[in-house]
Amino acid sequence: MGVSFDKSARNRASRPGEVRPTPEIAPVPGLKFEIQPATNPTSEKERAARLVDPGFGRIFTDHMAVVRYNQAKGWHGARVESRANFPLDPAAAVLHYAQEIFEGLKAYKRDDGGVNLFRPDANARRFRNSAERMAMAPLPEPVFIEAVEQLVRIDRAWMPGGEGSLYLRPFMIASEVFLGVKPSAEYIFAVIASPVGSYFKGGPAPVSIWVSENYTRAAIGGTGAVKCGGNYAASLRAQAEAIDHGCDQVVFLDAVERRYIEELGGMNVFFVFDDGSLLTPPLGTILPGITRDSIIALAKDSGAHVREEAYTIDQWRADAASGKLKEAFACGTAAVISPIGKVCSASGDFLVSGGAAGPVAMGLRKKLVDIQYGRVADPHNWIRKVL
Ligand SMILES: Cc1ncc(COP(=O)(O)O)c(C=O)c1O
């Protein structure tokens, strides 16, 4: 018997962005992962060759975890199996109405050879919030975590060493074969894994960002606070505009007044002032980043004052010019922390920290990375040892 769609879940779910302490992972009754190792896995030699310079998101491990949902059985058919194509009917709901959500987290190899996950409970909770916003069946958080852990265990040979990591991509698609516009009655949840190298070779290089004045990312009541594929599809034109202007990334402004800084296409943003305080835009229409939440906690641990407050692009420009603003940086799972060196817009460009990486960004980055790789104590109990 599977686990059925719990209609009371909506009442118990946390607000988007709310971070609760690590829960104990209770088993889900009736749902046990069947492990079917690949019969023809990648050879050791081939795997070693692919791990030399894995880049980001182009090479994949041998397995995937899959769990299915339908209204009769609830969540069922949990398996870890050979990574393969999904047979998908051309009328599957996801292909038409984009009912799709995803997550991104990493497994890190410790010096003792073991493997750490960083705050997978927070990803599981955000995934559940995303499902609820997109009217999808919410996956029980313990199933999300177990799927991720089982995949890491079976594909442990794919863990890169050094500053590399195994990027994990849980996602869920609406698979009901029906062209009516309504929440799908069937879903496929899966996790795939991709070994990734260090995001920045030779230390984080400051990025340049383009302020999007033509496009917005999210509005109040929309889907900006959840991780659905549609948000990213809608951001691509603005990101392309950033590239056209010679910038690395796009930063979005709010959709109402078009002056408050929201976030980058795939990262949250922080500002550091001359009094040592930090500011980051408040939750609401932005994605509640797990890195953002972790940085707030680490900065507060070190005695810094952290405000979650609105900040305008005009204020940013003025504070950079007066010297009140010392640093700005973007943050997210993929790059951890990227210093922002230059801001460009249709109304002119300006530099932050003289275009260089600042000490606060670099210090927070080191603290976070050291916790993730298990090199220092983990005061917030963020690490989950998988191996
Ligand atoms: C739009 C957006 N904002 C922020 C983030 C950072 O979130 P996290 O720190 O959980 O990776 C991401 C990355 O997933 C993102 O896609």
Side-chain angles (χ1 to χ4, degrees):
M1 242 222 4
V3 180
S4 53
F5 191 152
D6 175 359
K7 297 212 176 55
S8 67
R10 186 174 302 276
N11 302 327
R12 286 189 279 102
S14 54
R15 287 182 298 112
E18 183 187 336
V19 174
R20 290 186 252 133
T22 308
E24 282 307 310
I25 306 301
V28 173
L31 199 74
K32 192 168 168 359
F33 278 80
E34 192 185 312
I35 312 290
Q36 292 202 326
T39 48
N40 191 16
T42 311
S43 71
E44 208 176 319
K45 192 171 162 217
E46 175 62 23
R47 189 175 59 235
R50 291 194 206 166
L51 284 175
V52 170
D53 188 11
F56 181 83
R58 291 231 184 250
I59 69 163
F60 297 96
T61 63
D62 288 311
H63 297 88
M64 63 182 184
V66 182
V67 190
R68 289 169 194 274
Y69 175 88
N70 67 33
Q71 286 176 337
K73 293 190 189 166
W75 290 103
H76 65 281
R79 285 155 70 108
V80 175
E81 59 193 16
S82 213
R83 185 176 177 282
N85 293 346
F86 290 124
L88 207 57
D89 191 283
V94 65
L95 300 177
H96 302 271
Y97 310 122
Q99 240 193 327
E100 188 271 351
I101 57 172
F102 67 99
E103 269 302 327
L105 69 162
K106 285 175 172 175
Y108 307 86
K109 197 169 187 172
R110 297 192 306 274
D111 286 344
D112 66 5
V115 176
N116 286 348
L117 285 173
F118 182 71
R119 306 187 70 180
D121 51 304
N123 293 95
R125 199 170 312 124
R126 190 168 66 186
F127 195 68
R128 190 178 172 117
N129 288 335
S130 297
E132 289 178 358
R133 175 62 184 83
M134 302 304 286
M136 301 169 89
L139 182 76
E141 291 164 38
V143 178
F144 178 104
I145 295 172
E146 191 179 349
V148 166
E149 291 191 355
Q150 293 282 9
L151 185 62
V152 171
R153 285 199 193 100
I154 199 164
D155 280 333
R156 63 184 300 176
W158 287 89
M159 285 291 313
E163 290 285 304
S165 54
L166 190 62
Y167 182 79
L168 298 151
R169 169 52 63 87
F171 64 100
M172 174 158 46
I173 57 171
S175 52
E176 186 183 3
V177 179
F178 182 50
L179 293 181
V181 183
K182 66 149 192 91
S184 173
E186 295 173 19
Y187 297 95
I188 301 170
F189 166 72
V191 191
I192 54 174
S194 174
V196 296
S198 169
Y199 199 85
F200 299 105
K201 290 198 176 79
V207 292
S208 54
I209 60 170
W210 170 254
V211 183
S212 180
E213 290 170 3
N214 292 330
Y215 303 102
T216 58
R217 180 186 167 274
I220 295 160
T223 58
V226 303
K227 216 162 160 59
C228 60
N231 286 346
Y232 298 82
S235 75
L236 298 178
R237 187 67 198 86
Q239 174 62 23
E241 200 180 71
I243 304 283
D244 287 347
H245 286 88
C247 290
D248 301 307
Q249 298 278 331
V250 62
V251 64
F252 290 99
L253 303 176
D254 76 285
V256 178
E257 297 192 37
R258 303 285 190 104
R259 59 196 190 105
Y260 295 108
I261 304 295
E262 295 239 305
E263 62 179 322
L264 276 59
M267 286 192 262
N268 296 118
V269 63
F270 277 83
F271 304 93
V272 184
F273 297 95
D274 54 0
D275 62 357
S277 69
L278 281 82
L279 181 151
T280 190
L283 297 181
T285 50
I286 62 171
L287 191 80
I290 294 158
T291 318
R292 173 189 180 279
D293 185 77
S294 308
I295 287 170
I296 292 174
L298 293 178
K300 285 183 178 170
D301 288 352
S302 68
H305 181 54
V306 185
R307 290 172 288 151
E308 295 180 64
E309 280 175 17
Y311 191 61
T312 65
I313 179 65
D314 291 340
Q315 196 64 49
W316 187 357
R317 190 190 308 269
D319 290 344
S322 72
K324 185 176 172 200
L325 181 80
K326 289 293 175 203
E327 300 177 36
F329 61 86
C331 67
T333 297
V336 193
I337 284 182
S338 297
I340 297 173
K342 188 177 178 190
V343 182
C344 310
S345 74
S347 41
D349 304 350
F350 60 92
L351 292 180
V352 182
S353 317
V360 175
M362 291 299 89
L364 284 165
R365 183 175 198 282
K366 180 167 178 357
K367 266 189 198 149
L368 194 49
V369 170
D370 282 348
I371 293 174
Q372 289 168 334
Y373 283 89
R375 296 174 193 139
V376 295
D378 170 26
H380 296 278
N381 197 18
W382 285 334
I383 293 303
R384 203 174 157 87
K385 288 187 178 178
V386 184
L387 288 162

